[in-house]
Amino acid sequence: MARRLAAVLTVVLVGSPLLIASSTAVLALGAAAMLLCFLGILAATPVLVGGMVLALGEYTLALWLAGGPPRLAGAVLFGVVLVLLLETADFGRLAHRATLGPGLLAAQIRSWAVFAAFAGVGALVASTGANVTSAAVRLPWAPAVAAAGAAVALVGVALALSYRRLPPRA
Amino acid sequence: MTMRLTPLALSVVTVCAWGLVLGVLSGRAELAVVVLPLLLGLLRIGRTVAAREWSLARALSAPRVFEGERVTVTVTVSADGPVPLLELFEPLPPTLRLVSGHNRGLFTLGPGRSVEWRYEVECVRRGRVNLGTVHARFWDRAGLEAGETSVRLPGQLRIYPRPLPLRRLPGPRRMQAFVGNYVAPSLGEGLEPGDIRAFVPGDRVRHVNWRASLRFRQLFVTQYHQERNADVVLMLDTLAEAGAAPATTLDASIRAAAALVTGYLARKDRVGLIEYCGPFRWVRPSSGRAHHERLFEALLRADVMFSYVTQDVALVPRRVLPPQALVIAISPLIDPRFERALVDLAARGFDLVVLSPSPIPVVRRAMRPSARADLACRLWALERRARADALHRLGITIVDWDPAESLEAALGGLTPSRRRGVVR
């Protein structure tokens, strides 16, 4: 069940950039991403991550080819699908060849739905806020500031996670 | 239980990083927005408290079974507090094979709830199996954090060797003093008519043979053969084994021993067991249901144990190896120490039969067929035959048995020849 859901999410993930720009390059990248994602759902998370990386490349290419104003709602949906795909595929592998307790799948689907709703709304609010702020405040060297911000965010996340991975002190 | 991050968290960070890199390179704001739900997902880390608010109990459908039988394992998981996602795994020893269900389960439980998890296993090989530890992994709903622990649950399963079907047993040449199922050569109280003699005062009237008395006009009485039991001692070779589990020569030997134990005890004989693994381990001859269990317990723990020690048969006490006993040695005849013990037994005048589960077909079945293997097996068969002939010249009867074939068929050829040679 979880694997089927992950497969559907893969199709959505790979298919949505084609709605933005349906070119041969996007299609080829999408096909490769879909293959890796399906393999990853069945085999291992790193393969799935490889497929998702390709899907992000496909999305970027489609945006670059299409041009035009930012499509924030679509981006939020794409991000939510990314998270759900990772979690459903991981759960599918966990539930493979295991006895599932009563109500487990329903509880899991409920949890994913609630998270998707919260994450979607949260991301929309944050992106709208950022949009308004960027219209009001014009920063010099905006791309450099964005890059630095992204790097700082990533380092912060990595540090937080590595701190959490430390073994407990005696 | 300490919660740790799972590789999934690292995967989320990787996708985030790649999204941000692409966003910076392409200058598209959408990619930064794509990353936002992923970062929001990471905020769930640290919210799950891995409290030990659940307990486990295990029940087996039968604590004692025979090889080939099935056992249903039921694990009951009870929760005092909410348990979002609990993964339980019960590793199975090689003597058990999963038949239905899974030995891994995923559960979610509310406070005060309990759930039963069942799976069925087939007992492949004899032994004491300890289904001791259940490994538990406690996940958060997103799968970003997990904590592990192990729970020790009592649950011992005894798998007894499966007795092979056996209706006819090798008869003993010498009987004992107690009542049993063998027709003894000596005359006395019994059911089997033996001889007729003239009546003497003190004879019971019910023993008068009226037909003979009328014919000879003199009273005759019928004499009967006594019905006696026998002492049977099974000598098991645990010095070496050949083949792959659960079809090694030792497995076949133990199944044959189980069949012989069951058969002889059903005939009210006293049965003993000597395990020769360098030193001797034994169970004194006795009879009855309790002794049947005692012997099966001894067979349960019989295994090949490497030892440089070689004890002499003379060390075995008389009460364990009575002089009039029928000794059935069960050995693949791989280790020369066992052959020396056989020669010693034969020299001491024991009524000795050797049942030899042949290691050659057992090994051949475990190997890939090849011309070299064929040649090696033929040479091995020749060497084995030469050793068997040497023992045969010493008066030892050897029954060669392919464990894939019926034990009854192998012993069938032996029984009539031994009947002819009954010592009166």
Side-chain angles (χ1 to χ4, degrees), chain A residues 48-94:
Chain A
L48 177 68
V49 171
M52 289 168 81
V53 161
L54 276 185
L56 271 171
E58 179 203 2
Y59 182 63
T60 312
L61 184 65
L63 287 174
W64 187 67
L65 289 175
R71 298 170 171 82
L72 295 183
V76 169
L77 187 68
F78 195 85
V80 169
V81 170
L82 275 177
V83 185
L84 290 184
L85 175 57
L86 267 174
E87 290 188 9
T88 50
D90 196 62
F91 181 78
R93 243 188 323 281
L94 191 68

Side-chain angles (χ1 to χ4, degrees), chain A residues 45 49 53 60 68 70-72 75-76 79 83 87 94 96 98-102 104 107-108 111 115 154 161 164 168, chain B residues 4-5 11 13 17-18 22 28 30-31 33-34 38 41 44 85 87 104-108 115 117 139 141-142 145:
Chain A
T45 307
V49 171
V53 161
T60 312
R71 298 170 171 82
L72 295 183
V76 169
V83 185
E87 290 188 9
L94 191 68
H96 186 55
T99 303
L100 299 186
L104 174 69
Q108 202 64 29
S111 139
F115 168 72
L154 271 180
L161 294 185
R164 295 267 318 157
Chain B
R4 302 285 178 89
L5 289 177
S11 303
V13 175
W18 182 242
L22 283 179
R28 298 289 303 194
E30 286 95 331
L31 285 153
V33 177
V34 162
L38 292 162
R44 286 176 292 176
L85 188 56
E87 181 189 3
R104 200 165 65 83
L106 279 174
F107 307 97
T108 183
V115 64
W117 165 39
W139 295 84
R141 281 251 179 250
E145 280 183 298

Side-chain angles (χ1 to χ4, degrees), chain B residues 185-205:
Chain B
S186 55
L187 298 171
E189 288 292 322
L191 291 172
E192 199 79 21
D195 204 357
I196 294 174
R197 64 164 171 77
F199 180 86
V200 290
D203 279 340
R204 297 169 80 171
V205 176

Side-chain angles (χ1 to χ4, degrees), chain B residues 38-371:
Chain B
L38 292 162
L39 291 174
L40 286 174
L42 288 177
L43 289 179
R44 286 176 292 176
I45 291 173
R47 287 174 170 270
T48 309
V49 182
R52 180 69 192 276
E53 291 175 327
W54 46 273
S55 59
L56 298 176
R58 190 205 283 117
L60 301 173
S61 63
R64 299 193 299 175
V65 289
F66 286 103
E67 283 175 329
E69 288 185 346
R70 293 180 175 189
V71 176
T72 305
V73 182
T74 308
V75 179
T76 308
V77 193
S78 308
D80 299 327
V83 178
L85 188 56
L86 181 67
E87 181 189 3
L88 296 174
F89 173 60
E90 195 155 20
L92 292 180
T95 46
L96 297 180
R97 188 169 64 86
L98 194 68
V99 179
S100 67
H102 301 283
N103 59 334
R104 200 165 65 83
L106 279 174
F107 307 97
T108 183
L109 290 159
R113 290 285 182 89
S114 67
V115 64
E116 275 192 353
W117 165 39
R118 278 200 184 92
Y119 61 90
E120 201 178 21
V121 288
E122 187 184 341
C123 304
V124 181
R125 199 185 187 204
R126 77 188 189 284
R128 275 185 204 158
V129 177
N130 209 348
L131 287 165
T133 307
V134 177
H135 299 283
R137 200 176 277 163
F138 184 86
W139 295 84
D140 69 336
R141 281 251 179 250
L144 297 168
E145 280 183 298
E148 286 181 336
T149 186
S150 296
V151 184
R152 281 202 65 80
L153 292 177
Q156 200 183 55
L157 182 64
R158 285 161 187 263
I159 308 168
Y160 293 109
R162 170 173 44 89
L164 299 170
L166 192 59
R167 282 175 299 174
R168 295 175 64 187
L169 298 162
R173 287 183 175 160
R174 302 179 189 108
M175 312 299 160
Q176 298 296 320
F178 298 104
V179 174
N181 280 3
Y182 299 106
V183 178
S186 55
L187 298 171
E189 288 292 322
L191 291 172
E192 199 79 21
D195 204 357
I196 294 174
R197 64 164 171 77
F199 180 86
V200 290
D203 279 340
R204 297 169 80 171
V205 176
R206 56 191 283 247
H207 287 170
V208 171
N209 188 322
W210 294 109
R211 186 173 289 185
S213 302
L214 285 171
R215 188 164 182 174
F216 295 105
R217 296 185 175 280
Q218 186 191 344
L219 280 176
F220 280 90
V221 288
T222 308
Q223 289 181 295
Y224 294 89
H225 284 292
Q226 286 182 326
E227 282 165 4
R228 291 286 173 251
N229 76 339
D231 280 352
V232 180
V233 175
L234 303 177
M235 193 166 164
L236 192 64
D237 176 2
T238 56
L239 287 162
E241 67 178 333
T248 64
T249 50
L250 182 64
D251 292 325
S253 301
I254 286 175
R255 282 172 204 142
L260 291 167
V261 162
T262 308
Y264 281 115
L265 284 178
R267 287 188 178 192
K268 300 187 179 70
D269 292 330
R270 296 198 319 154
V271 183
L273 178 73
I274 298 175
E275 191 190 330
Y276 187 42
C277 52
F280 288 103
R281 288 193 292 208
W282 56 66
V283 179
R284 280 170 58 178
S286 186
S287 55
R289 284 180 67 100
H291 190 63
H292 187 262
E293 290 215 1
R294 204 173 298 132
L295 287 169
F296 267 64
E297 282 293 326
L299 289 175
L300 200 66
R301 56 174 183 264
D303 211 348
V304 172
M305 188 182 75
F306 181 77
S307 170
Y308 285 110
V309 177
T310 309
Q311 285 186 343
D312 195 75
V313 176
L315 290 172
V316 181
R318 277 172 66 92
R319 63 178 189 279
V320 176
L321 191 57
Q324 303 277 306
L326 162 65
V327 180
I328 302 180
I330 309 170
S331 163
L333 296 176
I334 295 173
D335 198 302
R337 284 180 289 177
F338 197 82
E339 285 174 42
R340 281 199 290 276
L342 290 179
V343 171
D344 198 355
L345 280 173
R348 286 164 194 272
F350 280 98
D351 180 9
L352 180 63
V353 174
V354 181
L355 173 66
S356 179
S358 176
I360 301 170
V362 172
V363 169
R364 282 196 82 150
R365 274 190 285 275
M367 283 170 69
R368 235 176 34 195
S370 70

